[in-house]
Amino acid sequence: QVAIKKMSLLEEVSEDLAVNEVLAMRDNRNANIVTYLDSYLVDGELWLVMEFMDSSTLSDVLKAVYLEEGQTGAVCRE
């Protein structure tokens, strides 16, 4: 299974952000980060194909529970 993140490229800022995200994901492999597999341009959108994770995002976790600053730093670092 894979996950596909669709990013609009209609705005110039979006294009720069998308390129930076692809480069960061492609060049930084870590067991704690979703694996980037490939990307495609489809009708003005950039589709990022990634490893599928059957869980929540870090943002979801931080919204659901209160963590002290040090705990948040430890989670982000990992």
Side-chain angles (χ1 to χ4, degrees):
Q1 286 184 326
V2 298
I4 298 176
K5 178 177 180 179
K6 296 178 182 180
M7 301 177 72
S8 173
L9 298 179
L10 298 178
E11 298 176 24
E12 188 173 324
V13 174
S14 298
E15 188 173 327
D16 291 340
L17 181 64
V19 168
N20 287 338
E21 185 164 347
V22 168
L23 293 176
M25 290 177 69
R26 183 193 68 194
D27 296 340
N28 296 293
R29 301 287 179 160
N30 184 293
N32 298 317
I33 299 174
V34 173
T35 303
Y36 164 81
L37 301 172
D38 209 345
S39 54
Y40 303 91
L41 286 173
V42 180
D43 298 328
E45 291 182 325
L46 178 64
W47 291 15
L48 301 177
V49 181
M50 302 174 259
E51 163 190 23
F52 176 76
M53 278 188 58
D54 190 19
S55 61
S56 297
T57 65
L58 176 59
S59 297
D60 293 339
V61 171
L62 295 177
K63 289 176 191 172
V65 296
Y66 177 78
L67 299 176
E68 297 291 332
E69 183 178 351
Q71 293 170 315
T72 302
V75 170
C76 291
R77 182 183 64 239
E78 290 302 317

